[in-house]
Amino acid sequence: EGCVMNQGGNTQTVAPLDPNPIEKRYGVEGSQVQTSPYQYSTGSDAASWTTHSVDNQVVQQNGNYSNSNYYHPQPPVPATGNVQETSSSTSGTVNVAQDYSAYTPYQTPSDLQNYSNTGYTNYYSGCYQQQQPSQPYTQPVGAYQNTGAPYSSFQNPGSYAGTASYSGTYYNPADYQTTTGGYQSTAYNSQTAGGYVNQTPTSSNQGNYTSNPYQNYTPDAANIHSATTATATPVHYQQNYQQWPGYYSQTEVPCAPGTENLPATSAFSQSFPVAGGVASEMPASNGQPAPSYAQNWRQETDSSQPPPQQPAAAVSASNNAYWMHQTPSQQAHYPVPPQNHYQSPLETKPLYETPIQGHQRATYPQELNSQASIHQAPLGYRQPTQTTPSVDTQRVSKIQIPTNPRIASNLPSGYTKMNKERSPAGATQTPAYVSVSMSNPKGHTSAMPEPGTFPKALCGFVERAFARCKDDKEKASCQAALKKIITQATNDGTINTRDWDIEPLSTVLNTDVTNTESSSAPISSLQNKSPTRRPKSRWEPIVESKPFVKPASTFTSGVKFGGWNHPNVNNKKSSETFQKVDAVTGSKPTYFAQNSAKKSFQRPVKRQRFAGGAIDDEESSDSEKELTPYYSSAMSLASSADEKKRRDSRSKRFEKVQGHSRGNDIPKPKISNVRRGTALRLGEVLDESCGSRAVEDMDWDALTVKGTCQEIEKRYLRLTSAPDPTTVYETHARFALEAGDLTEYNQCLSQLKILYAEGIEGCTLEFAAYSLLYITLHSNNNRELLSSMSRLSKEAKGDEAVRHALSVRAAVTSGNYVMFFRLYKTAPNMNSCLMDLYVEKMRYKAVTFISRSCRPSIPVSYLAQVLGFAGTSSEGTGEKENDGMEECSEWLKAHGASLIADSNGDMVLDTKASSTSLFMPEPEDAVAHGDRYLDVNDFFTRT
Amino acid sequence: MAYVSMGEAHRRITEYLNRFCDAVSYQDSSMLCRLLSFSSNSPSLLSLADALNVFQDASSLIRQSDKFSEYGEILAHLFRSLQSYRVGNLVEAYLAFEKFANAFVQEFRNWESAWALEALYVVCYEVRILAEKADKELTSNGKSPEKLKAAGSLLMKVFGVLAGKGPKRVGALYVTCQLFKTYFKLGTVNLCRSVIRSIETARIFDFEEFPRRDKVTYMYYTGRLEVFNENFPAADTKLSYALQHCNPERERNIRMILKYLIPVKLSLGVIPKDELLQKYNLHEYMNVVQALRKGDLRLLRHALQEHEDRYVFPLTSYCTYLHLNCIVAVFLRSGVYLVLEKLELQVYQRLMKKIYIIQKLSDPARAHQLKLEVIAKALRWLEIDMDLDEVECIMTILIYKNLVKGYLAHKSKVVVLSKQDPFPKLNGKPVGS
């Protein structure tokens, strides 16, 4: 419940935070961003926190539909949040203080920022490591710092009217919830990151964080966090990390081959339903949603941990999911969140004021939407979000919330996709960022749709562009250039139609240098970190995009971006990054855009919900995915709901990845998934405000599914059907035979015997033949041989392979080498593989017989033919026989036979001489103790 | 089940208890044996079982008297086992009997003298028989038979009790034989090794000191083990010992021994007289012996084919045996397939000898040169199709194994036989030695 509450709180808080922070931030940014890093940073940090929290939450939501559920709970929470917010300014401060204290103790008692930074860094670092080792880390650190800063800023912001209220809201129970939610999300992120990173400190910090906020909210949450951090998260995270690439490449869930993904998905699914419930509960007080959340969490967590821990487990699961989402989302978020925030501040402020709950909700959905839209199907989602803002009503929010979960789920996937896409197509990403910023300036209204609807390809472009940046300056310049491009594109209306995937990066990268220097520092920090930390290509692009986004969104996204930046910048740099971020006004716009997008998203969410009613929870896991499936389902009326679900769920794997790309590409759907594209398009269509491109304008070819997975090696096998045990073991046994690994073969055979005994169908006769051969040739156990022979049914004895095996047995027991090698050449199935291992012995036996019995000599050519050296052809062409001759004579020499030339010059075996000189050579690498490197002589020579 | 009044039941039970206690106190082994021998299905035991089923509270009767309660545990388990045995619940009967046997062995351990050895034999035997019956019941119920295995470990425990310096050690061989039977039936003959080792190497044991009955059984089983190991001289020694010392009245036992001894002897080149085969009804060996005499490879192969299942089957696992519900006789009679199969070389030898004799009749000067072509033709007459390569291979094996003296001239495709004893007799030595 605590988790739910937190989430709810997060959402609520986020909503309030967003508007206020945005405003404040704007103000701060405008005035302070550069001037007072701290303030800015703080403000930005606070914003970042909120944004982060929001983002995180959003991400989480996006990532997990369960999150959406959380959000649903949140909606109820928002009511409380509102209340809290109302009192938040004061209480908010207090809360903030608490939070800070909590944070501070966790991070560094001395500096709140440090604290937050450290914690964040940890978190971020974890995240970054997971995602983009270099940048992500730095970013995360920065983000954390930012967060820390935000906290401090929040407190400071407390002074700021809006910020104070925001901070209050965030920090306040509602805020805390939100913040906590944010923290949780962050914590989750961080935790996840920590878990990924395996950083105990981070986790502890997070745990502390969470605990504090949670304490405010609910003690359970803290427990959960700590528990999650302590227990489940690391593993999950690690797995997630490992899986991340996969996720990026495809849907998170499928990618998650690991358990984490699955849990996360499951949690998502569960949460979705809950979300629905929450949505219904929305009007109800926080308490209701909280329970629902708790239930959700619990449900999720049940598997992982004890009741207190369970929530934690759930959190962890959610975290994982969050991570999944977050990582992508973060990247996406960065650009988006700013927009949202900016938008929200602009737009939502009034909204917030009037219907705080609604605003919060709206903001949440917006945020969610924005995030979702940004991440997954930026355009479509954003559009919806934009619309949603208008729909401030709780209903809308509720509706949005349910949809949000879906969206959120889609979004994560979308994020991941975006990330991926971004990585490949950095141009798109940059544009997305730029567009975000552009959208902000353009007007919360008009810009809103754009940022929200930023095509994934655009996001990818942005990511690529950032990825190219070597330092902060470059990034800053790049960012500016991207802004230009995106604004231009948005103004031109080509943002959705332009092919960002092929957009040259040179235009952005070259001009970048001139861009804001202030931003360059943070960027550089981000960049510096990002490049170093980029272990995985997929992540790298994302990370880059994130940092970029962060700077861009520093103000609005200051929270999110700031958070990102901070992570990158680390604690020290965090302030700078914040400042820089703040300096980057574009970010604010982006926030606004995001806000607007979120609003719009809310609407779309509603729509999605409506449409998505048919969509499964699973589908909802990824908002984009869900949306896309939904849209796709809407598009394709033919398929049944179940089939659609199945297909959707399966396609989600890829859609998630694609979704990320889509988030960028939405306007210009090069997204691999047609569904996404359709979804995006649909979203665009749905978005009236967006005035998105007509469906006809869509480049349908761009929707062609493309594989995005960059991993060649897989740690697992994807089964296309339920595995049949006998098939598995039989296949394994055959491979073992082929490799001559009798130990492995034996293990398989013992399993097969059990399976066969249980009446499971299989190639019993084939393996009966193997069994016979094995006993005959390798075990030399008469009793076993007799018992296996006696077990043969008449039917079995009629089988070719079994008859062959029996013949081989007869040949071996009688020493009939001629028969043996004839059977060797005509062996069915893999009988020859087992015989292979006996050939040496049989040849030696034969030569022993011959050299004892034949006088005075025997031609090698005859031996080559009889002992199976000659080629496969029965008659043996001259060449083949010659080949056999060479092999045979070499073999004979190796075994001590004496070869001479007879009167005709033919090579013959001197049988009399050989009869006493034959020996069985030891294998070259064979040593008595089985390790030729431990040869005694070697030892002596050395000493 | 005849109706038994409560009073009658009480009387029967009390009588049994009195008899048991008297037998123990007077060290009356034979009486004790009678009281414990379930499988004898004696009327007195059956009536006792009926009485027990009427008078359910037999344990109270046991507790009533100090005399009875001294053996309360033994008797309580025995009664329960008997009850279950009577109503056909063999698994329960076995489980109770196993507890009884444990208690009895514990008591037996306390008895200084070996007076109760015979009773212990009965217990060991009954445990094994009951376990087999219980396994049959389990198998028919679709469950895995495991009681015989449990009986094996119990018998091993009994063996440990007897393997000491005291007078009880002479009973060790009986338990060993019961273990053999158990292990052979379970198909885990490798477990026999440890027992054999302790019997043959432990100083406490003097083989000749054991009862003859047990020695014969022991030799029979160890001989069979040697057959498995294809150690024919050792198998010959052991089985011959068993044959010499077994009770000549027990034709069934003699036949069992001959079933293994004949193939062993055949592989050593000793061919039994037809009268022996007929006397002990060993018809399955008639054709084999005939083939060896005539050098008729086809006949040998047919004989093996015909009796393959019988030769082979006995070695199948106990579980398979239970499932197929085969008779024990068939089970005991197996494991010689591989031995008989090895007789092929001797048949080849016989065939060559025949050809050699025929050549000698027509052209004594060149009789020692056997053309491979001729051998192949002879085989064709036996409806066995072999090309020269294969014939040559067989000839090399025969020469290598010393069944034929001479050498093979590959170029001319001729086997050149030694002019002196070209076909040496085995004379009790195994082929290839």
Side-chain angles (χ1 to χ4, degrees):
Chain A
E1 290 178 356
C3 295
V4 175
M5 291 294 291
N6 291 330
Q7 291 177 349
N10 290 330
T11 56
Q12 292 176 353
T13 56
V14 171
L17 288 174
D18 290 345
N20 291 327
I22 294 167
E23 292 177 356
K24 293 175 181 179
R25 291 173 183 176
Y26 276 98
V28 172
E29 290 174 356
S31 62
Q32 293 177 347
V33 170
Q34 295 175 350
T35 57
S36 63
Y38 269 92
Q39 291 175 349
Y40 282 106
S41 65
T42 57
S44 64
D45 291 345
S48 67
W49 267 107
T50 57
T51 54
H52 282 293
S53 63
V54 173
D55 290 345
N56 291 332
Q57 293 175 350
V58 173
V59 173
Q60 291 175 350
Q61 291 176 351
N62 292 332
N64 294 334
Y65 282 95
S66 63
N67 293 330
S68 66
N69 291 332
Y70 288 103
Y71 284 108
H72 289 295
Q74 291 174 353
V77 174
T80 59
N82 292 333
V83 176
Q84 292 175 350
E85 288 176 354
T86 56
S87 63
S88 63
S89 61
T90 57
S91 65
T93 57
V94 175
N95 291 328
V96 171
Q98 290 175 352
D99 291 340
Y100 278 110
S101 63
Y103 279 97
T104 55
Y106 278 103
Q107 295 174 345
T108 50
S110 63
D111 293 341
L112 294 176
Q113 292 178 349
N114 292 336
Y115 238 62
S116 61
N117 290 333
T118 57
Y120 282 102
T121 54
N122 291 332
Y123 290 112
Y124 278 105
S125 64
C127 295
Y128 280 107
Q129 289 175 350
Q130 291 175 350
Q131 295 176 348
Q132 300 172 348
S134 63
Q135 292 178 348
Y137 278 106
T138 58
Q139 290 177 349
V141 174
Y144 281 105
Q145 293 174 349
N146 289 332
T147 57
Y151 282 110
S152 61
S153 67
F154 270 107
Q155 293 175 350
N156 294 331
S159 63
Y160 295 102
T163 55
S165 65
Y166 278 111
S167 64
T169 56
Y170 282 108
Y171 289 108
N172 288 341
D175 292 345
Y176 274 102
Q177 290 174 352
T178 57
T179 55
T180 54
Y183 275 143
Q184 288 176 349
S185 63
T186 56
Y188 284 129
N189 294 331
S190 61
Q191 288 177 352
T192 54
Y196 286 106
V197 177
N198 294 330
Q199 294 176 347
T200 55
T202 57
S203 63
S204 64
N205 291 331
Q206 293 176 348
N208 293 330
Y209 260 112
T210 56
S211 64
N212 291 330
Y214 281 125
Q215 288 174 351
N216 294 332
Y217 284 101
T218 54
D220 290 344
N223 292 332
I224 295 165
H225 284 292
S226 61
T228 56
T229 57
T231 59
T233 52
V235 175
H236 290 291
Y237 284 111
Q238 292 175 349
Q239 292 176 350
N240 289 334
Y241 279 111
Q242 292 175 348
Q243 295 172 350
W244 272 105
Y247 285 102
Y248 283 106
S249 62
Q250 294 177 348
T251 58
E252 295 173 354
V253 174
C255 289
T259 57
E260 293 176 355
N261 290 331
L262 295 175
T265 56
S266 64
F268 287 114
S269 62
Q270 291 177 351
S271 64
F272 278 107
V274 175
V278 174
S280 63
E281 290 175 355
M282 290 295 287
S285 65
N286 293 334
Q288 291 177 349
S292 65
Y293 281 110
Q295 290 175 352
N296 295 334
W297 279 104
R298 289 177 183 175
Q299 290 175 351
E300 294 176 353
T301 56
D302 288 344
S303 60
S304 60
Q305 294 174 346
Q309 292 177 349
Q310 286 178 350
V315 174
S316 65
S318 64
N319 288 334
N320 295 334
Y322 286 108
W323 260 108
M324 303 286 297
H325 298 294
Q326 288 175 349
T327 54
S329 66
Q330 286 176 346
Q331 297 173 347
H333 284 297
Y334 286 105
V336 176
Q339 294 176 351
N340 291 334
H341 290 291
Y342 287 108
Q343 292 174 353
S344 64
L346 294 175
E347 294 178 353
T348 57
K349 286 178 181 178
L351 294 173
Y352 283 108
E353 289 175 356
T354 56
I356 295 171
Q357 293 177 351
H359 288 292
Q360 290 175 348
R361 292 178 184 178
T363 56
Y364 281 109
Q366 288 176 352
E367 291 176 352
L368 296 174
N369 292 331
S370 66
Q371 292 175 349
S373 64
I374 295 166
H375 291 292
Q376 295 177 345
L379 294 174
Y381 284 104
R382 291 176 182 176
Q383 292 174 351
T385 55
Q386 291 174 351
T387 59
T388 53
S390 66
V391 181
D392 291 338
T393 60
Q394 293 177 351
R395 292 178 183 177
V396 172
S397 64
K398 292 177 182 179
I399 295 166
Q400 292 172 349
I401 292 166
T403 54
N404 288 334
R406 295 175 184 174
I407 295 168
S409 63
N410 292 331
L411 290 173
S413 64
Y415 283 114
T416 56
K417 294 177 180 178
M418 290 294 289
N419 292 333
K420 292 177 180 178
E421 291 182 354
R422 289 175 182 176
S423 62
T428 57
Q429 292 177 349
T430 52
Y433 283 100
V434 175
S435 67
V436 174
S437 62
M438 290 299 291
S439 64
N440 293 332
K442 282 180 178 178
H444 302 286
T445 58
S446 64
M448 298 289 284
E450 292 175 356
T453 58
F454 281 166
K456 290 181 180 178
L458 178 57
C459 296
F461 175 75
V462 174
E463 276 190 3
R464 283 197 306 271
F466 280 104
R468 292 287 187 87
C469 297
K470 294 174 183 176
D471 51 30
D472 292 345
K473 287 183 178 180
E474 280 191 14
K475 280 189 178 181
S477 62
C478 176
Q479 193 175 349
L482 287 174
K483 284 181 185 175
K484 285 181 181 177
I485 291 173
I486 293 173
T487 50
Q488 186 179 351
T490 49
N491 290 335
D492 296 345
T494 59
I495 190 166
N496 287 332
T497 55
R498 190 184 292 184
D499 188 347
W500 293 106
D501 285 338
I502 59 171
E503 195 77 8
L505 287 171
S506 59
T507 57
V508 178
L509 293 174
N510 292 335
T511 59
D512 289 345
V513 176
T514 58
N515 287 338
T516 58
E517 294 176 354
S518 63
S519 64
S520 66
I523 293 168
S524 65
S525 65
L526 293 173
Q527 290 174 346
N528 290 335
K529 293 180 180 179
S530 65
T532 57
R533 293 179 181 175
R534 294 177 186 175
K536 299 176 180 178
S537 62
R538 293 179 183 175
W539 286 101
E540 290 176 358
I542 295 168
V543 174
E544 291 175 356
S545 67
K546 290 178 180 178
F548 289 107
V549 174
K550 291 175 182 178
S553 62
T554 51
F555 295 99
T556 57
S557 63
V559 177
K560 297 176 181 179
F561 286 102
W564 281 103
N565 292 333
H566 291 292
N568 292 330
V569 177
N570 296 329
N571 295 332
K572 295 177 181 178
K573 294 178 180 178
S574 63
S575 62
E576 293 177 355
T577 56
F578 282 109
Q579 293 174 354
K580 293 176 180 179
V581 172
D582 292 343
V584 179
T585 56
S587 64
K588 290 179 179 179
T590 57
Y591 277 107
F592 289 107
Q594 289 177 349
N595 291 333
S596 64
K598 290 178 182 177
K599 292 177 181 179
S600 65
F601 277 108
Q602 291 176 349
R603 288 181 181 177
V605 171
K606 291 179 181 179
R607 292 178 182 177
Q608 291 175 351
R609 285 184 181 178
F610 290 113
I615 299 167
D616 289 350
D617 294 342
E618 294 178 353
E619 293 177 358
S620 65
S621 63
D622 294 340
S623 62
E624 291 182 355
K625 292 180 178 178
E626 290 178 353
L627 290 173
T628 54
Y630 169 74
Y631 287 112
S632 64
S633 64
M635 295 296 286
S636 62
L637 298 174
S639 61
S640 66
D642 290 344
E643 180 67 12
K644 288 178 183 177
K645 292 176 179 179
R646 230 179 294 142
R647 289 180 188 172
D648 291 342
S649 63
R650 175 162 178 76
S651 64
K652 283 176 183 178
R653 296 176 301 154
F654 307 97
E655 285 181 0
K656 288 178 181 179
V657 176
Q658 294 172 349
H660 295 289
S661 63
R662 283 182 183 176
N664 297 327
D665 294 343
I666 295 172
K668 302 173 181 178
K670 289 181 178 180
I671 301 161
S672 58
N673 285 349
V674 175
R675 290 181 182 176
R676 291 180 181 178
T678 58
L680 294 171
R681 293 175 184 175
L682 289 172
E684 292 177 356
V685 173
L686 290 174
D687 292 345
E688 296 173 356
S689 63
C690 290
S692 62
R693 296 83 185 170
V695 174
E696 308 85 54
D697 295 339
M698 298 297 279
D699 179 8
W700 291 102
D701 292 337
L703 298 177
T704 307
V705 175
K706 298 171 187 171
T708 54
C709 179
Q710 300 176 3
E711 279 189 347
I712 295 172
E713 291 182 354
K714 293 285 189 183
R715 294 181 296 110
Y716 56 91
L717 295 174
R718 189 181 303 286
L719 302 177
T720 55
S721 64
D724 174 45
T726 53
T727 309
V728 171
Y729 278 110
E730 284 172 354
T731 308
H732 191 167
R734 291 194 191 100
F735 277 120
L737 279 183
E738 197 162 3
D741 188 345
L742 290 181
T743 314
E744 197 73 22
Y745 161 80
N746 247 338
Q747 290 178 354
C748 294
L749 197 67
S750 58
Q751 282 296 324
L752 280 173
K753 278 180 182 170
I754 295 170
L755 293 171
Y756 291 153
E758 287 176 358
I760 297 176
E761 299 276 318
C763 305
T764 50
L765 294 183
E766 180 188 342
F767 279 87
Y770 296 155
S771 177
L772 271 180
L773 282 173
Y774 179 81
I775 297 165
T776 303
L777 303 174
H778 304 293
S779 84
N780 199 24
N781 185 329
N782 283 331
R783 271 183 296 103
E784 205 179 332
L785 176 61
L786 284 168
S787 79
S788 65
M789 279 176 71
S790 65
R791 269 196 290 268
L792 294 175
S793 63
K794 286 199 171 179
E795 177 209 1
K797 286 176 183 170
D799 181 72
E800 185 200 354
V802 175
R803 268 193 289 119
H804 177 268
L806 287 172
S807 304
V808 171
R809 185 202 65 80
V812 168
T813 50
S814 66
N816 191 332
Y817 51 86
V818 172
M819 180 65 75
F820 179 87
F821 285 105
R822 281 179 186 167
L823 291 168
Y824 180 53
K825 286 180 180 173
T826 61
N829 296 332
M830 309 200 43
N831 286 8
S832 61
C833 291
L834 276 166
M835 296 174 74
D836 272 335
L837 303 168
Y838 198 74
V839 161
E840 172 84 0
K841 284 184 194 170
M842 202 67 191
R843 281 175 178 159
Y844 183 75
K845 216 188 243 185
V847 174
T848 313
F849 290 171
I850 289 169
S851 59
R852 176 85 68 87
S853 309
C854 297
R855 292 290 183 279
S857 63
I858 195 158
V860 173
S861 61
Y862 172 79
L863 289 178
Q865 177 214 330
V866 169
L867 299 184
F869 287 106
T872 52
S873 65
S874 58
E875 289 303 316
T877 64
E879 289 179 0
K880 284 184 180 176
E881 291 218 355
N882 285 335
D883 290 341
M885 277 279 287
E886 287 179 17
E887 271 185 64
C888 183
S889 58
E890 278 188 22
W891 186 90
L892 288 171
K893 284 174 191 167
H895 289 74
S898 130
L899 299 181
I900 56 172
D902 67 357
S903 54
N904 296 333
D906 292 335
M907 186 88 81
V908 296
L909 175 71
D910 181 353
T911 52
K912 192 168 187 178
S914 300
S915 62
T916 55
S917 65
L918 283 176
F919 65 91
M920 195 73 160
E922 285 191 3
E924 289 178 2
D925 56 348
V927 181
H929 37 81
D931 187 350
R932 61 197 173 96
Y933 296 107
L934 293 178
D935 189 82
V936 176
N937 293 327
D938 286 352
F939 178 76
F940 285 132
T941 52
R942 275 179 216 159
T943 56
Chain B
M1 187 188 295
Y3 171 75
V4 181
S5 72
M6 188 63 86
E8 172 69 6
H10 184 273
R11 191 190 64 76
R12 287 182 190 174
I13 295 168
T14 312
E15 184 193 351
Y16 182 89
L17 290 172
N18 279 319
R19 279 170 180 268
F20 183 89
C21 292
D22 288 348
V24 171
S25 56
Y26 294 116
Q27 303 197 340
D28 184 349
S29 188
S30 61
M31 172 58 79
L32 199 54
C33 288
R34 259 176 279 147
L35 291 172
L36 300 177
S37 178
F38 278 29
S39 56
S40 66
N41 283 332
S42 70
S44 58
L45 269 180
L46 292 182
S47 66
L48 172 67
D50 291 340
L52 285 169
N53 279 322
V54 170
F55 192 87
Q56 290 290 341
D57 196 15
S59 57
S60 66
L61 265 184
I62 297 170
R63 280 196 302 272
Q64 277 175 6
S65 161
D66 288 344
K67 192 172 85 169
F68 301 156
S69 60
E70 186 182 354
Y71 308 106
E73 197 186 355
I74 295 175
L75 290 166
H77 289 306
L78 184 65
F79 281 175
R80 210 172 304 127
S81 176
L82 193 60
Q83 272 179 280
S84 303
Y85 182 77
R86 179 60 174 160
V87 298
N89 191 344
L90 295 171
V91 175
E92 286 299 319
Y94 171 77
L95 289 173
F97 197 88
E98 194 184 64
K99 285 175 184 160
F100 155 74
N102 274 313
F104 183 82
V105 169
Q106 192 60 41
E107 198 64 34
F108 179 84
R109 198 197 290 266
N110 297 332
W111 292 331
E112 291 277 329
S113 73
W115 69 269
L117 261 185
E118 286 298 324
L120 186 69
Y121 292 166
V122 171
V123 171
C124 291
Y125 177 79
E126 294 297 340
V127 161
R128 184 174 65 84
I129 298 299
L130 256 182
E132 286 178 17
K133 287 178 177 171
D135 276 356
K136 257 180 201 168
E137 184 182 304
L138 284 172
T139 306
S140 65
N141 292 338
K143 295 170 183 168
S144 66
E146 58 193 9
K147 298 307 172 203
L148 189 56
K149 209 173 172 186
S153 51
L154 175 65
L155 289 173
M156 203 66 203
K157 199 194 285 178
V158 176
F159 180 84
V161 170
L162 295 175
K165 278 188 177 177
K168 297 174 187 171
R169 67 176 185 274
V170 295
L173 201 61
Y174 180 87
V175 180
T176 303
C177 292
Q178 294 300 321
L179 277 170
F180 282 164
K181 290 176 184 176
T182 303
Y183 291 150
F184 270 74
K185 208 158 263 191
L186 284 171
T188 55
V189 292
N190 54 314
L191 294 176
C192 299
R193 231 173 267 160
S194 61
V195 196
I196 293 172
R197 197 182 306 125
S198 79
I199 289 286
E200 294 187 347
T201 62
R203 290 182 183 176
I204 51 171
F205 294 126
D206 177 4
F207 191 73
E208 293 305 322
E209 174 183 282
F210 292 118
R212 177 197 258 191
R213 173 193 65 177
D214 297 336
K215 287 193 283 189
V216 169
T217 310
Y218 177 83
M219 282 301 188
Y220 168 73
Y221 279 105
T222 50
R224 281 184 60 180
L225 286 174
E226 296 296 351
V227 173
F228 288 148
N229 297 333
E230 297 189 4
N231 187 354
F232 298 130
D236 181 30
T237 310
K238 290 179 185 294
L239 290 171
S240 297
Y241 181 96
L243 185 66
Q244 284 167 17
H245 292 84
C246 83
N247 188 340
E249 303 296 315
R250 297 291 187 115
E251 285 201 13
R252 184 170 164 273
N253 285 348
I254 292 171
R255 188 169 177 271
M256 283 170 63
I257 295 167
L258 286 177
K259 278 235 165 78
Y260 289 90
L261 187 56
I262 287 174
V264 168
K265 287 283 188 188
L266 285 175
S267 68
L268 295 173
V270 179
I271 297 178
K273 291 178 183 171
D274 286 343
E275 296 84 55
L276 181 72
L277 300 180
Q278 281 168 355
K279 183 180 176 185
Y280 293 101
N281 197 26
L282 297 162
H283 296 292
E284 64 265 31
Y285 291 128
M286 293 283 208
N287 283 339
V288 175
V289 171
Q290 204 65 24
L292 265 177
R293 287 212 179 103
K294 291 182 178 175
D296 190 341
L297 188 59
R298 176 180 52 176
L299 186 60
L300 178 69
R301 289 188 174 178
H302 282 183
L304 281 176
Q305 205 80 42
E306 188 183 335
H307 299 287
E308 180 181 330
D309 291 339
R310 233 187 303 178
Y311 297 143
V312 163
F313 179 72
L315 289 182
T316 54
S317 71
Y318 177 63
C319 297
T320 318
Y321 155 71
L322 285 175
H323 283 287
L324 296 179
N325 202 19
C326 290
I327 56 171
V328 176
V330 172
F331 173 82
L332 292 177
R333 171 202 313 184
S334 60
V336 295
Y337 179 84
L338 296 180
V339 181
L340 296 176
E341 192 186 41
K342 287 200 157 52
L343 296 177
E344 249 191 31
L345 287 179
Q346 290 190 59
V347 177
Y348 279 120
Q349 182 206 39
R350 201 76 181 172
L351 181 63
M352 286 180 69
K353 191 172 184 180
K354 249 184 164 176
I355 297 170
Y356 170 73
I357 291 168
I358 293 169
Q359 281 190 348
K360 217 174 184 179
L361 292 176
S362 59
D363 185 3
R366 303 186 52 168
H368 65 284
Q369 289 190 10
L370 283 185
K371 289 185 177 173
L372 296 181
E373 191 61 54
V374 174
I375 298 168
K377 188 186 282 181
L379 288 171
R380 267 199 298 280
W381 288 343
L382 292 171
E383 295 173 351
I384 292 170
D385 202 15
M386 277 191 186
D387 64 10
L388 288 187
D389 279 349
E390 232 177 311
V391 174
E392 185 178 336
C393 172
I394 301 293
M395 291 306 117
T396 55
I397 295 170
L398 286 177
I399 296 169
Y400 179 83
K401 303 260 187 191
N402 212 24
L403 285 169
V404 172
K405 274 189 174 178
Y407 67 89
L408 189 141
H410 174 74
K411 235 178 193 174
S412 47
K413 302 287 181 193
V414 168
V415 177
V416 182
L417 297 175
S418 165
K419 290 184 179 171
Q420 200 175 6
D421 191 16
F423 303 103
K425 290 190 176 177
L426 289 170
N427 284 331
K429 290 175 190 168
V431 172
S433 65

